[in-house]
Amino acid sequence: MPRRVTSALPNQFGCGIHNTLARSTMSQLSYVGADTSSPWHTYLSQVDRVLPYLGPLARWSETLKRPKRALIVDVPIEMDDGSVAHFEGYRVQHNLSRGPGKGGVRYHPDVTLEEVMALSAWMTVKCAAVNLPYGGAKGGIRVDPKKLSLKELERMTRRYTSEIGIIIGPQQDIPAPDVNTNAQIMAWMMDTYSMNIGGTATGVVTGKPLHLGGSLGRVKATGRGVFVTGREAARRLNLPLEGARIAVQGMGNVGGAAAELFVQAGARLVAVQDHTGTLVNPNGFDIADAMAVLKRDGGIANYREAERIEDEAFWDVDCDILIPAALESQLTPARAARVKAKLVLEGANGPTLPAADDVLAERGILVVPDVICNAGGVTVSYFEWVQDFSSFFWSEDEINLRLDRIMVDALKKIWDTADRHRISLRTATFAVACERILIAREERGLYP
Ligand code: NAD
C-alpha cells in the first residue's frame, strides 16, 4: 500500500492525490502525480531498467527511489510597488551516501516538487557516473523571473537562500546555476549564506563570479562536456565531425557552448530551436552572428540567414547529430520516430521519455544520456569547490584538460559496461553509477 502523507501538500497536486497514489504502483510515494510522462516517473522507470544489473546490491535499490530529504519553503518578498508576493521554493536532497548534495537551482513557472525530485535524483546518478564525491540535490522556485525587477530577483533569491539555509552548506549541499539562474544569483546566495553564518563561505555554491571564488571554464563546462562525449561517440560511430550536421534545441548555457565547439571542430549548425522559434539553414548558421543575436535579443528569432519553420518540424530536420539542450520530456515516441540523426546528445536533463528511448534504440539511433553527456558542468563545479577549499586557482587550460580526461574515462567505462551486458548507454551509466552509490550505502550501513 502506498504510504499516506496527509501533511499540507502544495497546491500543484490539487485534490484527488490519494486516488492518484493508489494507482501509482511505480513509485509508492504519495507526493507524486499520475502523469507517467513526468520526469520523476521517467527516472523511476530508468531505475527499474538497471535493477537486473545490480546483483546483490539490488536489495538497497529502494534507496534510489526515495529522496532522502525534501524541503518546501514559502518565499515572501516585498515587490517594488509595495505589494507582497509569495513564491513556492524547493530544495531536495535525493541521496547523500557518497558526499554532500550537489545540484542547481531553477527559476521557472513550471517548477514542481516532483520535477525537482527527478532533477535531484539525476544529479545523484550523474555525480556517481563521473565518480565525483557528491550526492545529488536540486532546488527551484516556481516563478517567472522575467517578470521580476533586478531588485525583486535579489530579494527573492536572498529569502530563498535563507529559508533553505538550514540544509545547505559547503559540506552538506552545494547549489549551482540551472535554468534561469546565473553567476550573479550564485553571488547573492553565497553572500546571504555567509551573512547568516557570520563569515565568508565561498564553497557553499558553485558557478560564482570569478572574483568571488568562481572557476575559469565553468560557464561553458556543460557544453564542453556535451562536445567531448559527442566527439567520442562520433568517433566510435565512424561519423566524422568535419561536415557533420547538427541540430540544437535550446541555445543557452549548454546548447550554445556545445554548438560553438562543434562548429569549431568543423561541424555545421543546420537547425536551432529556442523559446522564440525554430530556424533552419542547411548550409550552416554563422555561429558568431547567431551568438551575437542571442546575446542581444535573448532568443534566436531575429537571426536573418535562416528560414523560419513550424516548431514541430524541428524533429524532422535532416541532421547527423541532434542535441536537445532545453527542457525535459521533449523526445516523445512520436517525435523519436521522426528523428533523422544518427546520434542524440542529451544536453538537457531528462529530454527523452523511456518509450522514446526504445523507439530510438529500435531505429539504431545512439543516445548519449544526460547523466553522462551533461556531467561537464558538475565536474567543473567540483573543481571550483576544491579550488575554494584550497584557495588556489587553476588555469583554464588545466581545467579543460582535466574535464576532458574525466569525461573520456567515465564514458569509456560506461561504454565497456554497455558492450558487456548489451545494454543502452543510459542503462550502462545507471549501472556504473548505481553500483557506486549502493556500495557506499552498504558500507556506511543503516543508522541506527
Ligand atoms: P538556459 O536558461 O541557459 O537555456 C535554456 C535554453 O532553452 C534557451 O535557449 C531557451 O530559449 C530554450 N528554451 C526554453 N524553453 C524552450 C522551449 N519550450 N522550446 C525550445 N527551447 C526552449 O539553460 P541551460 O543552463 O542551458 O540549461 C538547459 C538544460 O540543460 C536544462 O535541462 C538544464 O537542467 C540542463 N543542464 C544545465 C547545466 C548547466 O550547467 N547550465 C548542467 C547540466 C544540465
Side-chain angles (χ1 to χ4, degrees):
M1 279 293 288
R3 195 159 47 95
R4 284 174 73 92
V5 173
T6 48
S7 57
L9 286 157
N11 294 337
Q12 71 206 47
F13 298 120
C15 55
I17 185 163
H18 294 303
N19 287 341
T20 296
L21 296 172
R23 287 197 304 272
S24 175
T25 52
M26 280 173 81
S27 67
Q28 298 187 316
L29 291 177
S30 47
Y31 36 82
V32 301
D35 176 8
T36 51
S37 67
S38 78
W40 180 248
H41 280 88
T42 296
Y43 164 75
L44 290 177
S45 82
Q46 291 166 350
V47 171
D48 284 337
R49 286 179 184 207
V50 81
L51 296 183
Y53 307 100
L54 294 179
L57 287 170
R59 85 184 180 97
W60 294 100
S61 63
E62 198 60 21
T63 303
L64 301 167
K65 296 186 173 187
R66 295 164 184 275
K68 176 181 176 61
R69 189 175 287 134
L71 184 62
I72 303 173
V73 294
D74 177 35
V75 185
I77 62 162
E78 193 169 342
M79 305 296 278
D80 293 345
D81 66 5
S83 63
V84 177
H86 289 254
F87 301 96
E88 193 161 283
Y90 312 95
R91 186 74 190 171
V92 177
Q93 294 169 347
H94 172 259
N95 191 289
L96 305 180
S97 294
R98 290 169 42 83
K102 189 84 193 81
V105 173
R106 176 175 293 197
Y107 290 172
H108 196 277
D110 297 336
V111 165
T112 62
L113 174 61
E114 198 177 336
E115 180 189 55
V116 178
M117 280 163 49
L119 292 166
S120 70
W122 282 320
M123 286 307 298
T124 304
V125 175
K126 195 180 303 180
C127 291
V130 280
N131 213 0
L132 305 180
Y134 287 139
K138 201 84 180 189
I141 304 182
R142 187 152 9 113
V143 61
D144 183 353
K146 294 184 180 74
K147 293 190 176 148
L148 300 184
S149 71
L150 196 65
K151 279 288 159 203
E152 289 166 345
L153 190 65
E154 178 175 351
R155 284 197 286 274
M156 184 185 73
T157 299
R158 287 185 180 280
R159 181 61 188 251
Y160 168 71
T161 308
S162 218
E163 293 293 340
I164 65 166
I166 50 174
I167 61 168
I168 63 169
Q171 307 281 12
Q172 286 129 298
D173 178 1
I174 306 124
D178 191 65
V179 175
N180 290 329
T181 56
N182 56 22
Q184 175 60 73
I185 288 171
M186 293 307 114
W188 291 330
M189 289 188 77
M190 189 277 273
D191 183 69
T192 306
Y193 181 85
S194 296
M195 291 301 103
N196 284 343
I197 63 158
T200 292
T202 52
V204 67
V205 290
T206 58
K208 300 179 295 292
L210 284 178
H211 302 297
L212 294 175
S215 176
L216 291 166
R218 173 62 186 90
V219 175
K220 297 196 170 179
T222 308
R224 182 172 288 279
V226 172
F227 170 73
V228 170
T229 53
R231 181 192 70 203
E232 296 301 301
R235 189 174 51 76
R236 287 173 183 257
L237 290 180
N238 290 323
L239 171 66
L241 287 189
E242 186 71 44
R245 297 159 305 164
I246 60 169
V248 181
Q249 185 197 41
M251 281 287 280
N253 215 348
V254 180
E260 277 186 307
L261 287 166
F262 274 108
V263 171
Q264 273 171 29
R268 239 183 313 149
L269 176 64
V270 295
V272 168
Q273 177 175 90
D274 74 3
H275 71 286
T276 63
T278 305
L279 300 181
V280 289
N281 180 347
N283 297 319
F285 285 55
D286 181 309
I287 192 74
D289 285 356
M291 297 309 283
V293 169
L294 286 164
K295 195 169 173 196
R296 186 190 67 205
D297 300 350
I300 197 70
N302 293 326
Y303 176 80
R304 290 189 180 284
E305 305 299 318
E307 182 194 346
R308 186 164 185 143
I309 59 170
E310 287 294 319
D311 287 342
E312 194 50 38
F314 174 77
W315 307 100
D316 301 308
V317 165
D318 230 345
C319 63
D320 301 301
I321 301 176
L322 173 67
I323 308 179
L327 300 169
E328 301 97 57
S329 312
Q330 295 299 297
L331 268 163
T332 58
R335 286 173 175 173
R338 288 153 47 200
V339 164
K340 304 275 194 309
K342 303 170 188 73
L343 177 61
V344 174
L345 304 176
E346 293 188 338
N349 287 310
T352 309
L353 297 179
D357 244 352
D358 296 339
V359 174
L360 293 170
E362 277 158 24
R363 297 185 58 222
I365 299 170
L366 183 71
V367 177
V368 182
D370 48 6
V371 275
I372 177 66
C373 189
N374 69 31
V378 72
T379 303
V380 175
S381 272
Y382 166 61
F383 297 163
E384 179 175 333
W385 184 73
V386 168
Q387 291 171 86
D388 286 341
F389 273 122
S390 59
S391 296
F392 181 78
F393 291 86
W394 313 344
S395 72
E396 189 159 0
D397 283 350
E398 218 171 333
I399 283 160
N400 290 343
L401 209 70
R402 286 179 196 239
L403 171 63
D404 204 293
R405 200 164 53 218
I406 286 181
M407 299 296 291
V408 169
D409 289 351
L411 188 64
K412 182 175 181 315
K413 184 167 171 63
I414 289 162
W415 215 292
D416 291 347
T417 305
D419 285 347
R420 195 166 59 250
H421 295 298
R422 297 176 173 278
I423 53 180
S424 69
L425 287 181
R426 188 184 316 280
T427 302
T429 310
F430 269 70
V432 168
C434 294
E435 185 182 51
R436 288 176 178 150
I437 298 158
L438 297 182
I439 286 176
R441 172 70 282 160
E442 187 164 74
E443 286 177 349
R444 286 179 67 155
L446 285 181
Y447 171 84

